[in-house]
Amino acid sequence: MVVTDSSDEAGRTKSPPGQRNMVALAIYAIIVVVVVSMAVFYSFQRGGLSADIRNKATLIAPAGAGGGWDLVMREAQAIMREQKIATNIQVVNVPGAAGTIGLSRLHSMPGRADVVMVGGTGLVAGVQQTKSAVTMTDVTPIARIFEEYDVLVVPANSPYKSVDDLVAAWKSNPHSIPFTGGGSFDQLVMAQFAKAAGIDPKNTTYIPKAGGGEVAQALVTGTAKAAFSGYADLIDQIDSGRLRGLAMAAKEPIDGVDFPTLRQLGYDVTLANWRALFGPPEISAADVKNIRDVFDEVMRTQDWADAERNNKWTRAWLEGPDLTTFIADEDRVIAGLYKELGK
């Protein structure tokens, strides 16, 4: 019988060739994983620390696709690409909790000069509604870019032919005139209108809906008798004859809009649905200027002018300490309206 010795000259047990191959492959796989992981890590570090808005732009919309915040960032993304203002541009939707989940995500990216988020009146309201631990003072305000105003509408077959007709019926029995709208901002406009009309906002009825389509449906079916909603959300329904526009909740008359403002009719209702840009905390003054410059270039294009005209956005650029003061003032106004509503 021939006996095969599986030990080497030093007396160590030799592994069979197949086992040695498997060990070698395992070691090789581990090395590959480590190398790739390190490469990804350092790539992320470089992307987070050295990228800026021009060469790696992440545009955050703190809501789902198709909403107002999303529209702003999609328009900006398209123009940045078309005009070669920036490269590697992505829009990231972070919906939930009235925009405060997106705000918290932005807050978790300190120093990231390649990230910018849109927010505005609705986000101020969202922070108050949800009692968010992260507020707009915890991130970096970049610039307010435009304002948008609500339109007051009733069904086409409504007996209320004017704002005064509607107010007279509302005053006589506030609960008999349920309002609807697309969210918290529209309810705040309704509350401001109630105050201006001499009606206690606590006595009003408001039925929130998810966008202009649902608002129009609630009016047509009689679930609601009147509504405030964004002009762009309802203009098709007005033009089609399903809804009747009564007035705009705007500071001044808007070009291309036939309705008077509530202020012109004697009701001081001017709460604007403004949009502003915010960066993460701990970005430098130079980074802030770079982001402003990029969006200034975007807003100088004809495509942006077309978007403003189509959506009835009123340009309202504001930056620096004036913007910080403005946001603080808006926070107080919205807190006051929520108090009036009993919230």
Side-chain angles (χ1 to χ4, degrees), residues 69-129:
W69 286 332
D70 179 68
L71 176 61
V72 173
M73 288 316 208
R74 300 286 172 185
E75 291 281 359
Q77 179 191 43
I79 292 169
M80 287 178 188
R81 285 175 175 165
E82 179 79 18
Q83 302 295 327
K84 297 181 171 52
I85 296 170
T87 57
N88 300 319
I89 312 148
Q90 63 172 339
V91 173
V92 178
N93 294 94
V94 187
T100 59
I101 293 177
L103 181 64
S104 297
R105 179 76 60 86
L106 184 71
H107 182 253
S108 71
M109 302 176 178
R112 288 284 300 272
D114 59 324
V115 178
V116 62
M117 188 185 84
V118 65
T121 320
L123 188 56
V124 176
V127 167
Q128 294 190 20
Q129 281 183 303

Side-chain angles (χ1 to χ4, degrees), residues 19-163:
Q19 185 177 346
R20 288 198 300 272
N21 290 340
M22 290 178 64
V23 171
L25 286 172
I27 293 171
Y28 176 75
I30 292 169
I31 292 170
V32 169
V33 169
V34 171
V35 169
V36 170
S37 298
M38 292 295 289
V40 170
F41 173 77
Y42 284 112
S43 174
F44 176 80
Q45 290 293 90
R46 286 194 300 273
L49 298 178
S50 66
D52 66 30
I53 198 73
R54 289 190 185 275
N55 59 48
K56 180 181 174 293
T58 297
L59 311 181
I60 297 177
W69 286 332
D70 179 68
L71 176 61
V72 173
M73 288 316 208
R74 300 286 172 185
E75 291 281 359
Q77 179 191 43
I79 292 169
M80 287 178 188
R81 285 175 175 165
E82 179 79 18
Q83 302 295 327
K84 297 181 171 52
I85 296 170
T87 57
N88 300 319
I89 312 148
Q90 63 172 339
V91 173
V92 178
N93 294 94
V94 187
T100 59
I101 293 177
L103 181 64
S104 297
R105 179 76 60 86
L106 184 71
H107 182 253
S108 71
M109 302 176 178
R112 288 284 300 272
D114 59 324
V115 178
V116 62
M117 188 185 84
V118 65
T121 320
L123 188 56
V124 176
V127 167
Q128 294 190 20
Q129 281 183 303
T130 64
K131 296 180 171 46
S132 172
V134 178
T135 72
M136 293 161 90
T137 62
D138 297 317
V139 295
T140 305
I142 305 295
R144 186 187 67 190
I145 54 177
F146 68 80
E147 294 176 336
E148 182 182 9
Y149 300 101
D150 268 6
V151 61
L152 172 60
V153 296
V154 293
N157 61 356
S158 170
Y160 312 122
K161 308 296 185 185
S162 69
V163 173

